[in-house]
Amino acid sequence: RIGIAMTAHLWLPYTQMQTAAAPLRAARTAGARIILDDGRELIDAVSSWWTACHGYNHPHIVMAMERQLHTMPHVMFGGLVHEPAETLAARLAVMLPGPLNRVFFADSGSVAVEVAMKMAIQYRINRGETGRTRFLSFRDGYHGDTMAAMSVTDPDEGMHALFRGYLPEQVIAPLPRDDASAGEFRRLLDAHKREIAAIIVEPLVQGAGGMKMHDPAVLKTIADSAKEAGVLLICDEIAVNFGRTGTLFAHTQAGIAPDIICLGKALTGGAINLAATVATADVFDAFLSDAADAALMHGPTYMASPLACAAANASLDLFDTEPRLQQVAAIEAQLKHELAPLGNIPGVVDIRVKGAIGAVEVTNLHDLDWLKAQFIDAGIWLRPFGNVIYTMPPFTITSAELSAITGAIADILPRWAARKA
């Protein structure tokens, strides 16, 4: 049981507080490593929930935040703007392909999804299209833990089944991976298109739904079908933006143009929380009116925090000045080479690699606490979930550090399989 002295007033995420083992205490970070208060060092295999793309404590980001901290750490964004936010919005508009050029800042990925959904519904209302208040999303999808975001997450396989009956009921379709699933997807879309405001999808990788990966052609099918049906397309790239899948933005691999995109996690290089919902000019223009109630009535208190925007601008600098996409390509090649032999281990059913993401799916991920403890003993911070042992390391990880991660997986998995037997 968690020690009272250690966590007397904490409520930890995704944790049964009555039975959970005591959490580790992080004291500092450096590069791709987390240093515990007892002096142990752990190689971070998951980039602090997929955020620390440049590794920890990158001096360029730290210095940018220090400068901003002494100038103006925060100011409200209602009726005021500031240079860090203006610069960041302009840079994102240039980086993003097509007409995605209106940036609404939020303070978390879930809120960015909530804003995107709100935009899509009010877009229809402002255009005089009533009754289009539902969304089509996909099995194995995950979009966050807030209420609207939960409603477009897989209701059966996700972690939110407990709230069925309270959440709005959305249209949940299979990803159109083959003729059969494509047929079911199109049938559902056609049957509900007059009530659907938008389709929301995680491009190329469904993250928290199990690191399920799909080809760009699947995303192209979804985008083409959305356009044909006259519904908006929202790309939730919070987990895969900024190089994670091998390109700066995942959806570009399919050559598509979403109407709204959600960004977050690695936006600031993992230094501080910030997210963004970016819309096309067409979506934005639907909110322009002499009527006050046509405006987007949303405003997170800490939206466009100058401190966070400064970190994000510094993070974008690093994509210009350091070889991040080349590093991702090297990580992908190494993961493919070093994870491939694990397919011979009993219980392993699939090995998937996309960019700087490697996933080993097993039949039944039993003994989860034992597994986590084994990785910690091996000097690796790795959190398996569902039936997946995965790694999403910092792009700056060394080849030796990455081999330590894959080596630990290769060493521990057979012992895990033996326990099952």
Side-chain angles (χ1 to χ4, degrees), residues 111-237:
V111 175
V113 170
E114 299 272 341
V115 170
M117 295 173 70
K118 199 170 183 178
M119 280 180 180
I121 292 172
Q122 193 173 347
Y123 171 82
R124 298 298 179 188
I125 294 170
N126 286 357
R127 286 162 53 100
E129 303 172 43
T130 58
R132 302 187 70 166
T133 58
R134 298 181 73 189
F135 293 83
L136 186 148
S137 58
F138 296 95
R139 293 175 196 158
D140 299 313
Y142 173 86
H143 299 282
D145 292 346
T146 50
M147 287 301 177
M150 284 197 294
S151 77
V152 289
T153 293
D154 188 311
D156 299 314
E157 299 300 325
M159 62 186 78
H160 303 135
L162 181 68
F163 296 93
R164 182 179 283 124
Y166 179 76
L167 299 173
E169 288 191 10
Q170 311 293 5
V171 180
I172 310 296
L175 276 172
R177 297 177 181 273
D178 52 30
D179 289 344
S181 57
E184 184 180 352
F185 159 64
R186 290 194 179 99
R187 180 185 61 79
L188 285 167
L189 178 57
D190 185 63
H192 296 281
K193 63 184 180 182
R194 290 177 179 81
E195 56 188 308
I196 290 174
I199 296 173
I200 183 168
V201 63
E202 298 161 272
L204 304 187
V205 183
Q206 293 175 303
M211 298 299 163
K212 304 288 179 65
M213 301 177 184
H214 54 272
D215 294 332
V218 173
L219 188 58
K220 182 73 162 55
T221 296
I222 294 168
D224 289 348
S225 299
K227 187 174 183 179
E228 183 179 338
V231 303
L232 298 178
L233 177 64
I234 301 170
C235 281
D236 175 359
E237 290 220 14

Side-chain angles (χ1 to χ4, degrees), residues 18 59 294 301 316 348 355:
Q18 180 165 295
T301 301
L316 296 189
V348 173

Side-chain angles (χ1 to χ4, degrees), residues 273-290:
N273 56 309
L274 183 68
T277 305
V278 188
T280 63
D282 176 68
V283 171
F284 176 79
D285 287 349
F287 291 79
L288 302 180
S289 171
D290 292 332

